[in-house]
Amino acid sequence: PIPGIGRPLGMILIAGLAGIVVYLGGWVLHFIRLNQPTAVIFDEVHFGSFADAYCCSGAYFFDVHPPHGKLLAAMGLKLGGYAGGQDFATIGTQIYELQPWLLRLVPALAGSLIPILVFAILHQLGASARAAFLGGWAVLFDNALLLQTRVLALDGIMIFFMLAAISLALLAARQGRLRGQLLASIGAGVCAGMAFGAKFTGLTSAAVVVLILWFAPRPIPGIGRPLGMILIAGLAGIVVYLGGWVLHFTLLDQPGPGDIWGRPSGIIWRDILKIHQQMFSANYGLGATHSNASPWWAWPFSWRPIYYYAQDHTALYLVGNPVVWWGSTLGILAILVQVFRQGWTNTRRESYALMLIPFAISYLPYMLIPRILFLYHYLPSLVFAVMAVALWLDRSGRLAVGNRAYKWLLVLVLIPTGFLLISPFTFGFPLPEAVLTWMRDLVH
């Protein structure tokens, strides 16, 4: 027991306080200076114009990603009163027709909730309050994930729905009543469909949802334990995914740059099939080069930062927190060594082993992709790596309070320290010209 409080109440209070810190931290870091810079940043060149087409112009376009994330961004613009007319031609183009924070609102909302979702999933997997806090703390203070969710991009939206799907699947697997089981399964399917609808790599969440529901301890009467929940979740996901495409073709009813790929025929299901063939072909066959591109094997070490914006002694570069990236990489290697020594059959029931599966599914396929790739492609894998390492440290007793307490506190201090060192390139704080020149030389 905790003196003067009692064991159960004390543990609840500590876990609740940890969750509140992670939750509020996500909001503060994502919305402070969200209006800066007041110019187009990196892929806002593309996604800004796509969102503008959905909410305002209706100009038909073609993109290698599904529509759901862009539809959410467009909804944010519309609800904020944006009426169109903003130019997204190049990086650095000034934003006059709307407040820049409105352009980045949906990704920032998604990103602000990612740390608390990591905290919640770790708790659902049986982690201690210390391990759950460590996972949320590490994700909260990762510079790369933070920057990618402070600009109009799809990765943060995808990761949010991936984690929400996994959390709801874990909830469904532990429901004692049929109604709760059904609702949580539907929710998991909806979120998995939205994750896949943001980017195709969001399919990872569907695989994890199926895995979790397959081993659910309680059956659905008349259908069977795993199959019923999987079918329900799958149906919900398919409806949501196809519904996004129906909106895509409905809203884009005017001539536009996508016409060179062929105008929609108006027979919706045939158009959906055709555009998927075009998307996979275009995505796989991207042959352009970029000075900031990086190979898949270099990502775990945060190699090759990405230039996002630079002007007036400020610059935005996507760089990972070295403590989080290197620490999670070393942790994954340590887990793999343990699995190799003990055998998969002896470790597969451990909670950290569950997180190794989405890590592998979201990371290893990039070994086979010939197209140009960037550091931000590793972000979903990073989140799963952090959760796997937090669970492994917890399970092995390395987070126990006692004579190791100083190590626990050291980690908690090192993570925000690494974050602060990189933060000028995350928020665009003014820097000496020598530092900016050094970063330009490093990246290019």
Side-chain angles (χ1 to χ4, degrees), residues 404-423:
R404 298 188 182 91
Y406 72 95
K407 296 181 179 179
W408 160 249
L409 294 174
L410 180 62
V411 170
L412 293 184
V413 171
L414 284 176
I415 289 174
T417 300
F419 170 82
L420 289 174
L421 290 174
I422 306 296
S423 61

Side-chain angles (χ1 to χ4, degrees), residues 351-369:
S351 55
Y352 62 80
L354 177 63
M355 289 296 104
L356 285 179
I357 295 173
F359 171 79
I361 295 174
S362 61
Y363 180 48
L364 297 182
Y366 285 108
M367 298 171 60
L368 307 175
I369 297 178

Side-chain angles (χ1 to χ4, degrees), residues 216-355:
R218 298 180 183 276
I220 292 180
I223 303 179
R225 178 173 62 199
L227 186 58
M229 287 190 291
I230 291 172
L231 288 175
I232 290 169
L235 179 60
I238 291 171
V239 170
V240 166
Y241 183 72
L242 293 179
W245 281 109
V246 172
L247 280 175
H248 171 85
F249 289 113
T250 301
L251 294 174
L252 303 181
D253 58 355
Q254 300 298 315
D259 290 350
I260 61 174
W261 293 84
R263 285 290 302 170
S265 63
I267 304 167
I268 289 295
W269 307 118
R270 183 180 299 176
D271 290 329
I272 292 175
L273 178 61
K274 178 182 177 182
I275 201 169
H276 276 78
Q277 295 171 339
Q278 294 173 333
M279 290 166 64
F280 283 116
S281 175
N283 209 336
Y284 193 82
L286 284 174
T289 59
H290 195 285
S291 60
N292 298 160
S294 55
W296 62 269
W297 49 263
W299 297 339
F301 305 100
S302 189
W303 186 75
R304 186 68 71 180
I306 309 173
Y307 160 76
Y308 274 26
Y309 175 84
Q311 187 175 350
D312 299 332
H313 300 288
T314 66
L316 294 176
Y317 284 91
L318 186 125
V319 188
N321 183 332
V323 179
V324 176
W325 287 61
W326 284 72
S328 61
T329 298
L330 294 175
I332 288 292
L333 292 175
I335 293 174
L336 293 177
V337 169
Q338 179 171 319
V339 171
F340 177 77
R341 288 179 176 176
Q342 297 183 358
W344 177 250
T345 56
N346 294 327
T347 57
R348 63 189 176 94
R349 292 188 179 274
E350 299 285 359
S351 55
Y352 62 80
L354 177 63
M355 289 296 104

Side-chain angles (χ1 to χ4, degrees), residues 90-285:
T90 60
I91 295 175
T93 299
Q94 286 297 306
I95 300 175
Y96 294 112
E97 300 297 332
L98 73 160
Q99 290 295 322
W101 67 264
L102 183 61
L103 182 69
R104 302 155 190 159
L105 175 61
V106 171
L109 284 172
S112 67
L113 296 173
I114 289 175
I116 192 62
L117 277 173
V118 168
F119 178 90
I121 291 172
L122 290 172
H123 178 72
Q124 287 176 291
L125 290 172
S128 66
R130 292 184 297 276
F133 182 71
L134 175 61
W137 190 251
V139 171
L140 172 66
F141 286 113
D142 178 58
N143 301 78
L145 182 60
L146 178 61
L147 177 56
Q148 192 68 0
T149 51
R150 285 173 53 88
V151 303
L152 180 52
L154 305 179
D155 303 85
I157 298 172
M158 176 190 68
I159 293 171
F160 165 76
F161 282 112
M162 290 174 69
L163 296 177
I166 292 171
S167 181
L168 286 167
L170 289 169
L171 180 64
R174 288 166 172 77
Q175 285 295 309
R177 295 185 177 182
L178 178 60
R179 181 181 178 183
Q181 199 173 59
L182 291 173
L183 289 176
S185 297
I186 292 171
V190 168
C191 290
M194 289 296 297
F196 185 58
K199 296 184 78 170
F200 285 131
T201 46
L203 188 61
T204 299
S205 60
V208 180
V209 165
V210 169
L211 179 67
I212 293 171
L213 296 182
W214 182 262
F215 292 102
R218 298 180 183 276
I220 292 180
I223 303 179
R225 178 173 62 199
L227 186 58
M229 287 190 291
I230 291 172
L231 288 175
I232 290 169
L235 179 60
I238 291 171
V239 170
V240 166
Y241 183 72
L242 293 179
W245 281 109
V246 172
L247 280 175
H248 171 85
F249 289 113
T250 301
L251 294 174
L252 303 181
D253 58 355
Q254 300 298 315
D259 290 350
I260 61 174
W261 293 84
R263 285 290 302 170
S265 63
I267 304 167
I268 289 295
W269 307 118
R270 183 180 299 176
D271 290 329
I272 292 175
L273 178 61
K274 178 182 177 182
I275 201 169
H276 276 78
Q277 295 171 339
Q278 294 173 333
M279 290 166 64
F280 283 116
S281 175
N283 209 336
Y284 193 82

